Amino acid sequence: MKLVLNGRGGKVGRVLAPALEEAGHELVELNDAEAMVDFTAPDVVEANVRAALEHGVPCVIGTTGFDHARVDELARERGVACFHAPNFALGAVLMIRFAREAAAHLPRAEIVELHNEAKKDAPSGTAKATAEAVGGDPPIHSVRLPGLVAHQEVLFGGDGQLLTIRHDTFSREAFVPGVLLTLERLAGLPAGLPVGLDTLL
């Protein structure tokens, strides 16, 4: 597939670009693209998506902290899919799935998410998605320190016990399989902004 990769020089983009090419995709300019992949910053996502939609190009968005409703509206107007996942690591998606199941039996939960200090949004998109899956508006604790990549634990407390579900991303290569899976399924997705890699598993 011919892809435009926004954020190619960023932390994820530097890993994703060679991985996409190794998987047989070709990195091109927007005018020649069949899909756009965006790992940039919250304040530029909408402009990037708008430019892609004007060319009828579907989008895969890994950036978090943007206005979902606005992007969904733009994509529906153009009849194009703009898939978003707060986390493309398959293990993180399973963590959320397991947390949803645990919450049915242990409703008292808190979330601790840890990222590199350069991450702009707090709490993270993954933590927000987890809180939504768990229900009951659990407290979220955000940590921003150098040396971290992406880490999260969901703690469930009950009388005499504690259940911890944790996922650690040690390198950004963890996001590659999820992005490749999304690109495989992109053509079959509905117009608008489908959210969550869990919907593709």
Side-chain angles (χ1 to χ4, degrees), residues 36 48 53 58 60 67 77 119 121 162:
M36 179 190 82
N48 290 342
L53 294 176
V60 176
D67 186 339
E77 286 173 1
K119 185 168 178 62
D121 56 321
L162 175 72

Side-chain angles (χ1 to χ4, degrees), residues 8-181:
R8 190 170 180 170
K11 291 176 181 171
V12 176
R14 285 195 297 269
V15 170
L16 195 53
L20 290 170
E21 291 179 323
E22 186 177 330
H25 298 289
E26 181 183 354
L27 299 182
V28 298
E29 297 298 319
L30 184 56
N31 289 338
D32 299 316
E34 297 170 284
M36 179 190 82
V37 179
D38 190 282
F39 280 84
T40 56
D43 56 342
V44 297
V45 171
E46 187 175 322
N48 290 342
V49 168
R50 189 185 297 274
L53 294 176
E54 286 174 359
H55 288 81
V57 173
C59 307
V60 176
I61 306 169
T63 310
T64 58
F66 65 93
D67 186 339
H68 287 196
R70 182 64 188 139
V71 169
D72 182 54
E73 180 184 357
L74 289 170
R76 288 178 187 277
E77 286 173 1
R78 292 285 184 164
V80 177
C82 285
F83 182 86
H84 169 63
N87 197 318
F88 280 91
L90 299 179
V93 176
L94 293 172
M95 171 192 60
I96 295 172
R97 183 180 287 183
F98 298 155
R100 181 185 293 115
E101 184 176 345
H105 306 282
L106 295 166
R108 293 285 303 278
E110 299 204 10
I111 299 166
V112 182
E113 57 96 354
L114 308 93
H115 285 82
N116 187 273
E117 61 187 348
K119 185 168 178 62
K120 292 186 167 121
D121 56 321
S124 69
T126 302
K128 289 178 182 177
T130 306
E132 185 177 338
V134 167
D137 196 24
I140 301 173
H141 309 277
S142 298
V143 177
R144 298 291 178 266
L145 288 171
L148 298 171
V149 178
H151 315 266
Q152 181 175 289
E153 58 185 20
V154 191
L155 297 93
F156 294 91
D159 291 339
Q161 63 180 321
L162 175 72
L163 170 65
T164 302
I165 302 172
R166 182 177 175 108
H167 179 259
D168 293 286
T169 302
F170 299 112
S171 75
R172 289 164 181 89
E173 281 84 0
F175 304 135
V176 172
V179 173
L180 293 175
L181 172 65

